Amino acid sequence: MFSRFIASLVVFSSALLFAGKTLADNLAADTWHQIDSANFRIVTNGDPNAVRSLAEDLERYRAVALNLLGANDDGAKLTIYAAADRESYAGLVGEDLSELTNGLFDTTSEGSYALVNLDGRTGERQLEAREFLFHEYTHFLSYNGTTTHYPYWYSEGFAEFMSTMSFGPGREYRIGAIPGERAMTLLYTAPVPLQELLRATVHNTPDEEKGRVYASGWMLAHWIVMKSGKTEEFKQFVKDYNNGADPVEALSKNLGMSIGEIEKVYNEQFQSGSFAMARGEVPANFKSVRPKVKVMSGQQTVVELARFMVKSGYNIDGLKALVKYAESNNVYTPELTAVRADAATRAGDFDSAVHLLARVAPSDRNNFWYQKAQAWLWLNREISSFGGDRSKKMLKKARDKFVQLVNNHSEEAMNWYGLAITMEMLGYPKKQYVEMLEQAYLRAPRELHIAQWMAQELYNQKDAEYFAEVAQPLMLELTNEAEYNQMKNMLAELKPSTGDKAKIQGNAMVKDNKRSSSGTAAKATP
């Protein structure tokens, strides 16, 4: 049901074979810690003292990055799953993905999270883990709560540029260092030809070539940020790119250079191998606070890991092994039953989900984890029925459940989305359920199904300005050719007037303000 945006650190390694117990067994048997700082929640089976030190660096990095990027601080706390080693990482994402990545970032209708392998590819654990975390958090700052898209090469190249930030004495930081892994990639394979790099996407780049895109993107991003003197012009390029402009033509136009001139600079950087560094100071208002560390119980560990597997969908086969482990080690809980019911609902096995939720004692049914699993079971079961077979009684019960979820957990887009779907199926006036849909969109503008539905409703309303704001970035997410062409034709039909185009950026700011003002105070009373 839920799509994802994935930004990952790509590696190339030989296949790894894990013997003995299943990966999920090994994960659950480890000691896991939760490390809480002001803006991060880190769940890890690594060395808690080392990870706490990383959390302190992350807080400093965040303060600098917000300042450098001019990003909004919406107070969102990011959950990071920090796996101690390659085996643990594979237990979370599956063996195939563990061979291709060392870190992942996902944004979903249930919130954003990052995942990182602390062990990296060498023995320098602390250094590599810091770089991986800085890389993934750059994605979070770049994409959280916004529909702005960056070209693949810049998204990854800039994250690599930021990843090598280091801290000196006092409040000093340094930026611009060469990422060792990317330097080796460039030396052994050579940079990607410029026009090919500019048109690269995560979908048209083979896995074996992604390392070159990261490395070449870092080199070009480094020049733009540190030497070009054209950072403001580059911002206009990003706007044009988001409005559908050809990336090669748009970069040349905005930088005021021919592609040949840009390629010359690009290649000269590679030949010289010289990359400038800059120094600065951590903002004076930053106050370092020692993160809190607590050991997670066996029960908490199993539920946390199980919920991650279901939400991410990376290694869903590991759920069965986790359940067996919990049963045999006396750490099984009612909440794990609800997680299993959620997994069954997503798989369309509604009978199993019903039986599982029936096992949860009435005294536990007021918990959020139960209410959410039940609401989505009721709704999805009715969605799978057709016409007269749908039960209005059950839909009304689902509606009431979603109202309760929205009013108590309004930060989750998924709750608003479920309420919007239920209200539409019950025949509510369009204006009422679209208001609920918009609240979901404002909280998760990159969730594909939410954005597609929002775009369709705006198209039906002939709201050219708002439709363009939603549809333009959505087109950069669509990989289905038919869906892409349909959205392109809809945009052409409702093309905003010149005056409307000038308003779109301001309209986006209004929507951002509407989101922040709705916040936890937003209430649903259909």
Side-chain angles (χ1 to χ4, degrees):
M1 172 178 278
F2 305 105
S3 64
R4 66 165 65 98
F5 165 81
I6 302 177
S8 58
L9 284 167
V10 178
V11 300
F12 300 93
S13 63
S14 59
L16 301 175
L17 298 176
F18 302 117
K21 294 181 178 180
T22 67
L23 293 173
D25 282 333
N26 290 335
L27 275 181
D30 280 350
T31 299
W32 287 75
H33 292 80
Q34 179 172 298
I35 297 166
D36 276 304
S37 65
N39 299 286
F40 301 93
R41 172 180 174 260
I42 304 179
V43 177
T44 185
N45 62 336
D47 178 352
N49 292 321
V51 177
R52 176 155 61 180
S53 177
L54 284 175
E56 292 177 316
D57 275 353
L58 264 174
E59 289 288 355
R60 284 196 289 181
Y61 174 82
R62 178 182 183 276
V64 174
L66 281 172
N67 189 49
L68 290 177
L69 299 175
N72 293 324
D73 179 5
D74 64 359
K77 195 165 185 171
L78 181 66
T79 294
I80 299 170
Y81 297 90
D85 48 41
R86 175 67 59 186
E87 184 175 352
S88 300
Y89 185 68
L92 291 170
V93 305
E95 292 187 41
D96 289 344
L97 198 52
S98 76
E99 293 170 18
L100 291 173
T101 66
N102 261 322
L104 296 165
F105 169 72
D106 280 7
T107 178
T108 75
S109 60
E110 296 179 85
S112 299
Y113 61 84
L115 185 67
V116 67
N117 168 24
L118 293 174
D119 209 15
R121 299 176 290 281
T122 74
E124 300 178 58
R125 295 177 53 137
Q126 186 80 0
L127 174 63
E128 292 213 343
R130 184 184 293 110
E131 289 185 9
F132 297 157
L133 287 172
F134 287 1
H135 178 112
E136 300 306 334
Y137 194 60
T138 301
H139 286 310
F140 176 74
L141 292 177
S142 299
Y143 290 109
N144 182 49
T146 174
T147 57
T148 298
H149 284 69
Y150 296 93
Y152 181 40
W153 65 268
Y154 186 79
S155 179
E156 301 302 345
F158 183 71
E160 286 290 286
F161 171 79
M162 294 291 288
S163 75
T164 58
M165 185 184 295
S166 59
F167 301 101
R171 306 186 76 87
E172 182 185 84
Y173 73 84
R174 295 180 293 275
I175 195 168
I178 302 172
E181 179 78 19
R182 304 312 168 197
M184 295 300 290
T185 298
L186 290 170
L187 286 172
Y188 283 107
T189 65
V192 177
L194 183 61
Q195 293 199 40
E196 181 182 333
L197 178 70
L198 297 180
R199 291 198 168 103
T201 70
V202 70
H203 305 293
N204 70 16
T205 305
D207 286 342
E208 62 272 16
E209 287 295 304
K210 286 178 178 174
R212 290 182 68 207
V213 171
Y214 279 54
S216 302
W218 163 76
M219 190 170 69
L220 185 55
H222 192 289
W223 173 74
I224 288 169
V225 174
M226 301 290 286
K227 293 183 68 176
S228 73
K230 297 177 181 291
T231 53
E232 291 302 313
E233 291 86 345
F234 186 76
K235 290 178 184 177
Q236 185 57 51
F237 158 74
V238 172
K239 290 180 182 178
D240 289 350
Y241 174 77
N242 277 264
N243 286 328
D246 176 81
V248 174
E249 295 174 5
L251 188 66
S252 175
K253 182 194 78 171
N254 283 289
L255 297 191
M257 301 169 66
S258 70
I259 284 299
E261 289 171 328
I262 300 172
E263 186 146 36
K264 182 181 178 183
V265 173
Y266 172 68
N267 289 326
E268 283 175 351
Q269 279 221 141
F270 173 66
Q271 294 298 330
S272 72
S274 177
F275 296 90
M277 290 187 64
R279 285 178 169 79
E281 287 195 349
V282 177
N285 61 357
F286 172 73
K287 304 296 180 188
S288 180
V289 177
R290 188 75 167 157
K292 298 176 182 178
V293 178
K294 71 174 184 180
V295 179
M296 296 173 66
S297 69
Q299 294 176 332
Q300 291 171 326
T301 294
V302 170
V303 167
E304 183 78 44
L305 297 176
R307 194 171 294 287
F308 172 80
M309 289 176 180
V310 174
K311 178 170 67 174
S312 71
Y314 288 136
N315 189 26
I316 192 65
D317 291 341
L319 179 61
K320 190 178 294 184
L322 278 178
V323 170
K324 280 188 176 181
Y325 176 89
E327 290 172 338
S328 58
N329 289 273
N330 200 31
V331 291
Y332 193 97
T333 60
E335 188 171 357
L336 183 57
T337 299
V339 174
R340 293 172 63 192
D342 183 22
T345 296
R346 294 180 190 224
D349 188 356
F350 305 126
D351 289 341
S352 292
V354 168
H355 291 311
L356 285 163
L357 288 179
R359 290 168 47 184
V360 176
S363 58
D364 286 319
R365 294 181 183 178
N366 286 326
N367 287 299
F368 170 65
W369 44 262
Y370 178 87
Q371 301 279 330
K372 184 176 176 182
Q374 188 178 59
W376 278 101
L377 166 60
W378 286 346
L379 175 55
N380 278 295
R381 189 170 53 183
E382 296 311 312
I383 289 174
S384 69
S385 302
F386 296 97
D389 292 333
R390 287 177 175 162
S391 168
K392 279 208 167 186
K393 178 181 178 182
M394 294 307 299
L395 282 171
K396 287 178 180 178
K397 290 177 71 173
R399 175 204 60 194
D400 294 345
K401 197 68 68 178
F402 280 117
V403 168
Q404 185 179 349
L405 289 168
V406 159
N407 287 338
N408 288 282
H409 301 276
S410 66
E411 72 284 355
E412 272 204 26
M414 191 176 183
N415 297 332
W416 293 95
Y417 184 42
L419 180 56
I421 296 171
T422 310
M423 290 172 65
E424 184 196 30
M425 292 176 68
L426 282 169
Y428 274 73
K430 185 180 290 288
K431 182 177 184 298
Q432 292 184 28
Y433 71 73
V434 170
E435 284 178 356
M436 302 300 109
L437 173 62
E438 183 179 32
Q439 290 297 328
Y441 175 76
L442 293 173
R443 287 160 175 78
R446 293 178 180 275
E447 207 295 310
L448 196 62
H449 292 83
I450 293 176
Q452 284 180 299
W453 186 11
M454 187 69 188
Q456 185 64 55
E457 294 294 348
L458 293 169
Y459 172 80
N460 293 342
Q461 294 172 19
K462 306 304 178 187
D463 187 338
E465 179 187 343
Y466 197 178
F467 173 72
E469 180 191 329
V470 174
Q472 286 284 8
L474 176 58
M475 286 182 67
L476 297 174
E477 297 273 8
L478 293 174
T479 57
N480 180 286
E481 186 176 358
E483 291 179 345
Y484 177 89
N485 288 332
Q486 180 186 24
M487 194 64 60
K488 184 178 180 180
N489 292 335
M490 290 161 69
L491 266 170
E493 181 185 338
L494 283 189
K495 190 174 183 180
S497 66
T498 304
D500 286 338
K501 285 182 180 178
K503 294 177 185 176
I504 286 178
Q505 188 63 34
N507 188 53
M509 294 175 65
V510 171
K511 296 294 182 291
D512 285 343
N513 290 334
K514 188 172 181 180
R515 177 187 176 185
S516 61
S517 66
S518 63
T520 55
K523 297 290 181 182
T525 54

